[in-house]
Amino acid sequence: MAIYHCSVKTFSRRNGQSSTAAAAYRSGEKLLDENTGELHDYRRKGGVISATIILPSHAPAWASDRARLWNEAERAETRINSTVAREFEIALPHELSPNDRERLAHEFARELVEKHGFAADVAIHAPPEFQKGGTGKVIDNQNHHAHILLSTRRLGPNGFTEKTREFDARSNERDDDSYLFGPALIEHWRERFALLQNLYLARAGVAAQVDHRSNKARGLDAVPTRHLGPAVVGFERRMGIDSEKRQREALAVRAVDERVQELDAEVRGELAELDAQEAVIAAELAENLRYVAMDDAELTEVISKTQPADIDAQVASSWEVSKAKSDVTELEGERDSVARRITSWEEGHGFRTWLNSKGIGGAELDELRTELEQLGNRITKAIRRVRKATEAASARLWPEYNRRITLFDELIELRKAKRQRKILQVQKAQSLDFTTIALQRSLGAFGWA
């Protein structure tokens, strides 16, 4: 059966780790850490199927070079305890072909890159092979997996820029329905990988499916399976038999299978809910028929009420964007006020200002300059909040705007068609009148009344 695994960890200088060492090990290459002078050579390491760098569309050309990429990532970090890389470790279904496993890992990595703007180094690793039972038969433990090594900073056209702080929050946070932070963001990507894996399994004709949730979250009473660890795997390799721990895990798996069968009944209940949703859609179609029955005046009135305001105007006037812009304006006002106070102080204390420029005295002036710098930092953060609020408001308002603008366009086309039909009816009636007059004249010429 397909197994789900998706874990996230970080590499930090606090723990003596470096991104160049991590990249060298995962790619099976030889990389020099220019920051420390250490040479990391893993060319003799086996099991590396492929190692591919995936970058944002606007990334510089040099970023395709693995050594340059990770050395630049190290140079971008100036603190001795900096987090230098982040990694998604994912299990790849052994039921898939090697090409499909690679495409699955690359598609997941590409979605991460497009969403967050960092660089990704994707290494596909093969499971180890070992002799079982002394028979000389090679057994594959089916542990296909991939390491997606990610930079902690976004990669722009000129190099690395800001940190991806959305991953660093220590609690579940949410700006709105579109922006997740911390553990909630990690859980979002774990769910996304499960959906992608299930899609690839279905395309391959595999009935097995995976779920990113724990047994408890899924309402299962079965004890979840656990990582067996190197000791158990080593025992099985030497003895050629299944350990007691593996047998216990097999019993737990069978319990999960029984629970899955129970869940099938719940799925059938969900299908009944879908039938109810179809009834709602049918009601919407009946509403459309009501528009068809309207005359031109009624339809014109509905059109005037249906046309939505411009989406950009709606976003700009939304509460969250207005509030974010108001915060920026307020902070800019405080900054201008402090700047005027600095100018006034310097003009009124010329000699003390000169001494201060030489590093002597002027504590009050230093405090004002510190306050000005802090306000500048707060304004930068407030501007970023405006951008986030704008994106969030756009994501929230767009579905309703799209629905209304679609209806508006359809009503315009409906009115156009109705008017064209009216013109054709009038033309046909006029043609009939002319034919009747001609016939009356012809009959009158022969003496018919």
Side-chain angles (χ1 to χ4, degrees):
M1 60 180 294
I3 301 298
Y4 177 84
H5 173 74
C6 178
S7 63
V8 183
K9 65 179 180 180
T10 57
F11 297 83
S12 173
R13 287 178 182 163
R14 184 194 303 273
N15 301 323
Q17 298 167 315
S18 78
S19 60
T20 50
Y25 178 81
R26 281 149 183 78
S27 63
E29 293 186 2
K30 177 182 177 181
L31 298 180
L32 172 66
D33 189 333
E34 298 172 2
N35 186 44
T36 63
E38 293 183 79
L39 184 64
H40 306 285
D41 190 354
Y42 292 98
R43 289 176 295 179
R44 298 181 63 182
K45 168 181 166 55
V48 179
I49 301 299
S50 67
T52 306
I53 293 176
I54 297 177
L55 304 169
S57 59
H58 51 265
W62 56 256
S64 298
D65 180 89
R66 180 169 285 107
R68 176 78 181 276
L69 173 68
W70 293 111
N71 274 294
E72 290 293 341
E74 286 286 339
R75 269 190 285 272
E77 305 299 337
T78 57
R79 297 169 55 189
I80 61 174
N81 62 345
S82 291
T83 300
V84 292
R86 182 176 288 106
E87 179 184 71
F88 276 72
E89 182 184 80
I90 56 176
L92 301 174
H94 71 272
E95 293 92 342
L96 298 180
S97 68
N99 286 340
D100 279 347
R101 283 194 290 268
E102 186 173 61
R103 279 194 289 267
L104 170 59
H106 287 180
E107 183 173 348
F108 182 56
R110 191 170 292 106
E111 289 190 8
L112 283 165
V113 169
E114 290 176 354
K115 178 64 177 178
H116 299 286
F118 40 40
D121 197 347
V122 186
I124 310 294
H125 287 188
E129 298 178 340
F130 59 91
Q131 304 290 334
K132 184 171 182 179
T135 63
K137 183 179 180 181
V138 177
I139 302 299
D140 187 341
N141 70 359
Q142 302 177 344
N143 181 27
H144 300 275
H145 60 281
H147 298 270
I148 304 177
L149 193 64
L150 305 166
S151 63
T152 58
R153 292 182 179 272
R154 306 188 209 283
L155 182 59
N158 299 318
F160 288 103
T161 59
E162 62 181 356
K163 281 274 196 178
T164 52
R165 294 295 184 192
E166 59 266 33
F167 284 95
D168 297 333
R170 296 186 179 275
S171 60
N172 287 318
E173 298 181 22
R174 180 187 292 269
D175 264 3
D176 51 68
D177 292 338
S178 301
Y179 290 89
L180 299 172
F181 297 88
L185 179 59
I186 299 296
E187 190 66 10
H188 161 76
W189 283 115
R190 281 174 43 80
E191 179 181 5
R192 178 56 188 160
F193 178 63
L195 293 173
L196 272 179
Q197 185 172 337
N198 287 334
L199 177 62
Y200 273 78
L201 288 169
R203 287 176 180 172
V206 179
Q209 296 280 273
V210 299
D211 197 311
H212 72 289
R213 298 172 297 172
S214 65
N215 285 350
K216 181 178 180 181
R218 296 165 61 190
L220 301 177
D221 297 328
V223 178
T225 58
R226 296 179 178 84
H227 182 63
L228 295 178
V232 174
V233 174
F235 169 81
E236 294 181 341
R237 290 180 179 179
R238 293 190 301 272
M239 305 302 295
I241 60 175
D242 290 340
S243 65
E244 291 184 4
K245 188 173 182 180
R246 187 179 293 278
Q247 292 173 4
R248 289 195 300 270
E249 295 297 336
L251 290 174
V253 169
R254 281 198 293 273
V256 171
D257 289 340
E258 292 173 359
R259 177 56 180 156
V260 168
Q261 294 178 4
E262 296 176 8
L263 290 174
D264 286 341
E266 297 180 14
V267 171
R268 287 192 288 272
E270 293 177 359
L271 290 175
E273 293 181 7
L274 290 176
D275 291 339
Q277 292 177 11
E278 289 182 0
V280 173
I281 294 174
E284 292 178 355
L285 291 175
E287 178 72 7
N288 292 337
L289 292 176
R290 184 176 69 86
Y291 293 136
V292 172
M294 290 181 178
D295 60 25
D296 188 271
E298 292 173 328
L299 198 55
T300 299
E301 182 179 359
V302 171
I303 289 173
S304 65
K305 295 179 179 179
T306 303
Q307 184 175 12
D310 179 72
I311 185 65
D312 293 335
Q314 292 186 51
V315 170
S317 62
S318 65
W319 179 87
E320 58 266 47
V321 175
S322 299
K323 178 63 170 61
K325 289 182 177 179
S326 175
D327 292 343
V328 172
T329 302
E330 183 177 347
L331 288 170
E332 288 176 341
E334 293 181 21
R335 179 196 59 190
D336 295 343
S337 175
V338 172
R340 287 193 295 270
R341 288 166 59 191
I342 290 175
T343 301
S344 176
W345 197 95
E346 290 175 341
E347 291 175 351
H349 305 81
F351 181 67
R352 292 173 64 185
T353 300
W354 179 80
L355 288 175
N356 179 261
S357 68
K358 303 301 181 181
I360 303 173
E364 182 180 354
L365 182 59
D366 288 340
E367 288 179 1
L368 287 173
R369 287 172 176 168
T370 299
E371 184 179 355
L372 184 65
E373 182 179 358
Q374 291 174 345
L375 283 169
N377 294 335
R378 290 174 64 189
I379 289 172
T380 299
K381 293 179 180 179
I383 291 174
R384 283 201 292 267
R385 286 196 295 271
V386 170
R387 184 174 66 252
K388 284 187 175 181
T390 300
E391 293 172 352
S394 180
R396 176 174 57 81
L397 295 171
W398 178 257
E400 175 61 19
Y401 172 79
N402 188 52
R403 187 192 69 80
R404 288 179 62 87
I405 198 66
T406 300
L407 177 59
F408 175 76
D409 291 340
E410 290 175 350
L411 291 176
I412 290 291
E413 290 299 318
L414 176 61
R415 184 177 64 180
K416 180 179 178 181
K418 290 171 73 72
R419 288 178 175 178
Q420 185 64 28
R421 189 184 303 112
K422 183 66 175 178
I423 291 172
L424 292 175
Q425 289 174 346
V426 171
Q427 290 175 346
K428 184 176 180 181
Q430 290 175 342
S431 177
L432 181 61
D433 288 343
F434 291 144
T435 302
T436 303
I437 292 171
L439 179 60
Q440 288 175 339
R441 290 178 176 174
S442 298
L443 292 174
F446 293 97
W448 292 86

